[in-house]
Amino acid sequence: MRAAGAAGLLFAAAGLASTLPTGGDLVVWRIEGNAVIADAGAPSAPLPVGSLQKPFVAKAWARTHSSLAPPQFRCDGKSGCWLRSGHGLVDLSRATTLSCNTYYRRLAEDTPEETLRATLSDEGFVVTGRLSAEGAMGLESGAVSISPVKLLEAYRRLTREPWLAGEPVRQLVLSGLRDAALFGTANGLDRRGYWAKTGTTSAIDCRPLATSGWALAIDDSGWGILGLLRRGTGHEAARLLAATLARLRPGAPTVRNESRPEEAAATPPSERTRGPISGPGARDTVRVALFEALHPTRVSARNAGGSPVATSRGYVGAGSSVELKAGDRLGASLWELALPERRLIRQIQGSLSCDAPLGNMLRIIAAMESREYVNGVVAAELPGGAGPLRRELAAAALRFLAAGPRHEGADVCDTTHCAWFVGRGAGRLPVSLDDIEWSRGMAMAAEDGPAFWTGHCGGAPLSPHAVWGNGDRRVTVCPRHGSSSSRPWNRFWSEAEVRSAFGAPADGLSIDWPDGVWTLVVRAGDSPRSWHYDDAHRALAARLGWGALPSPATTVSRVSGGWRVAGVGLGHRVGLCLDQGPSVMNSAAIR
């Protein structure tokens, strides 16, 4: 293993007792300065660590694909992932967040064995015998191991040292590790501000049909912690390690509200979100169209509040559920909405209406206070963002609302056509804007400033007119991204996928800029059709997912079996650029 230099880590003397709680069967190592301190009796020999190997598979792939952006793969029920139903269409960031076996297996299969072996060895792993794709990503018992100390060293390097080959790939891996602590496999840590990963292996004490679990977290300062649960899974190890994190880092913000969800829901909204009663949007109601990109035919609503709620079909008691039908109207409460066909759950504070505009498809409109809506946007687009950026996004969202409705029967939708909105998530209340942030955001909203934003501008922000054709040709300079971090992407659209998305076989695709507005031209015989970005994005999303067109593309070219599409940036690339690692498009994929 290469020397760590000035930032190298020295293992504390063997047998040094830790004062940390170990959570029963949990064994803990932690970085303190340039030393790794371990619990008394903690093993020091190389051990299997399962999925904790995956980020280094990405590094090996980048070494042999330095000119390419990481691909997308579809993980379904037949692809052999740990999630039997599959993760859907995934890119590198999301695959890291969810520890998708299908994605990393494909990366490993696309990388020469000697490169996989050399990369893992460079990072301190011990590779035994022939290295298969399964072994490289930690799914083959006995193939790869590493000492806990060297594992912490490797992860600290991962978060601090650029890769000579494939630095954009490293950034996507870090994006996924950051998301893993929020809503991925390591969300049991219940802490923001960490890169985190879990791993599950066959039991290290060789118990038959049993497992051991690992959980690791590194913060921006390079401080890190690693936990081994001898009897359990990686997810369980993360939940136990949360107690140690809470003790060592008491000031770190949590992901979940400290009160139980039912207790928070029973608190009147006016008390839970008390803030200014004047200023832009302070008492406005926002109507949000939910799930329209998914074309749901079944939606159930559970009253997660603390009291019965009046509906058009009578009262729905606390904890009770109703399957929504056209014509339903539900009063204000904390509603847990579930789409059984999509395995999606989302909590919404507000009132609901349900209609069926097209056949069996249901249209759900949620009405809520503007502060509630802005909180849901901030939780989605800036889950780990700093205070100033959160206030800027709140102000931009209020200016966006002030421009008027963007949908028939609704002010906004919950996708990147308007702003990615997740409400209160899947039962874990996100950290919302506090009273000071909300007050400052409303004050800023009254001033001139951007009303649009993007996940990553690609180093060259577009004007609102370039995307929407609204006549506003001003370009807001991005304070965060330059051309050196353009976040390039490329996609392959098959002929069948294009036909399904746009409703007819396509003889050709091209990018045009009539009057300076980005346009995808779909030629079918003598009848070409023009699609602006939002329309093309939605059409493709119904077939390929929300990552099919990450931003307005720069090129589209005919290749065997379909089209190769490329571009830079993520999101609309318009206005206020607020990327904090997890991208709008990476995160917006349905979980």
Side-chain angles (χ1 to χ4, degrees), residues 412-423:
V412 291
C413 67
D414 60 354
T415 71
T416 53
H417 171 264
C418 296
W420 185 33
F421 167 83
V422 295

Side-chain angles (χ1 to χ4, degrees), residues 255-274:
V255 177
R256 294 186 289 269
N257 190 299
E258 292 301 327
S259 61
R260 294 182 299 161
E262 59 269 26
E263 293 174 340
T267 305
S270 60
E271 294 180 16
R272 202 164 56 247
T273 58
R274 183 178 293 122

Side-chain angles (χ1 to χ4, degrees), residues 112-146:
E113 179 186 351
E114 58 269 23
T115 305
L116 289 168
R117 178 185 297 275
T119 302
L120 289 170
S121 297
D122 286 348
E123 297 297 337
F125 290 87
V126 178
V127 183
T128 304
R130 181 177 176 82
L131 185 61
S132 65
E134 299 284 317
M137 63 179 190
L139 299 184
E140 188 177 289
S141 179
V144 180
S145 60
I146 190 172

Side-chain angles (χ1 to χ4, degrees), residues 322-345:
V322 58
E323 187 154 328
L324 298 183
K325 299 178 181 179
D328 281 345
R329 301 293 183 266
L330 284 64
S333 183
L334 180 64
W335 293 102
E336 183 177 273
L337 303 178
L339 278 62
E341 298 164 348
R342 296 279 183 166
R343 301 173 65 88
L344 183 149
I345 294 176

Side-chain angles (χ1 to χ4, degrees), residues 73-331:
F73 298 122
R74 185 168 295 279
C75 173
D76 56 31
K78 299 179 181 180
S79 57
C81 192
W82 65 264
L83 183 64
R84 291 186 179 181
S85 62
H87 292 113
L89 190 67
V90 291
D91 57 13
L92 175 57
S93 178
R94 186 165 183 255
T96 304
T97 297
L98 304 176
S99 199
C100 177
N101 289 344
T102 299
Y103 188 94
Y104 272 96
R105 183 182 296 112
R106 294 285 295 274
L107 281 193
E109 290 172 346
D110 197 28
T111 305
E113 179 186 351
E114 58 269 23
T115 305
L116 289 168
R117 178 185 297 275
T119 302
L120 289 170
S121 297
D122 286 348
E123 297 297 337
F125 290 87
V126 178
V127 183
T128 304
R130 181 177 176 82
L131 185 61
S132 65
E134 299 284 317
M137 63 179 190
L139 299 184
E140 188 177 289
S141 179
V144 180
S145 60
I146 190 172
S147 74
V149 175
K150 290 185 177 181
L151 181 64
L152 273 171
E153 290 177 335
Y155 266 82
R156 188 155 94 158
R157 283 196 304 274
L158 173 65
T159 63
R160 295 163 74 90
E161 298 180 11
W163 289 348
L164 295 178
E167 174 59 14
V169 176
R170 186 181 78 99
Q171 292 299 324
L172 290 175
V173 170
L174 293 179
S175 165
L177 293 175
R178 188 76 86 179
D179 277 0
L182 300 175
F183 38 71
T185 54
N187 67 353
L189 291 172
D190 190 25
R191 287 294 182 278
R192 297 181 182 274
Y194 290 94
W195 292 286
K197 189 76 181 74
T198 61
T200 301
T201 71
S202 298
I204 62 172
D205 57 4
C206 299
R207 287 173 292 115
L209 302 178
T211 60
S212 297
W214 295 88
L216 181 148
I218 303 283
D219 70 11
D220 293 341
S221 71
W223 183 88
I225 192 166
L226 172 67
L228 167 62
L229 183 62
R230 300 175 190 270
R231 300 168 181 262
T233 64
H235 184 70
E236 292 168 339
R239 290 175 63 89
L240 287 176
L241 194 60
T244 301
L245 277 176
R247 179 166 182 169
L248 287 174
R249 292 293 190 267
T254 60
V255 177
R256 294 186 289 269
N257 190 299
E258 292 301 327
S259 61
R260 294 182 299 161
E262 59 269 26
E263 293 174 340
T267 305
S270 60
E271 294 180 16
R272 202 164 56 247
T273 58
R274 183 178 293 122
I277 60 174
S278 61
R283 288 199 178 275
D284 295 344
T285 297
V286 181
R287 298 164 300 164
V288 185
L290 304 175
F291 314 128
E292 290 199 333
L294 302 178
H295 307 293
T297 58
R298 290 184 59 201
V299 180
S300 66
R302 184 179 71 87
N303 180 9
S307 58
V309 178
T311 75
S312 57
R313 286 196 267 163
Y315 280 90
V316 175
S320 297
S321 299
V322 58
E323 187 154 328
L324 298 183
K325 299 178 181 179
D328 281 345
R329 301 293 183 266
L330 284 64

Side-chain angles (χ1 to χ4, degrees), residues 16 23 29 40 54 115 183 244 257 265 273 297 299 338 366 368 381 398 417 434 448 470 488 528 559 565 574 580:
L16 177 63
W29 296 258
K54 287 177 178 174
T115 305
F183 38 71
T244 301
N257 190 299
T273 58
T297 58
V299 180
M368 64 195 68
E381 302 220 28
L398 290 172
H417 171 264
D434 60 32
D448 188 29
N470 64 3
V559 296
V565 189
V574 174
Q580 287 293 291

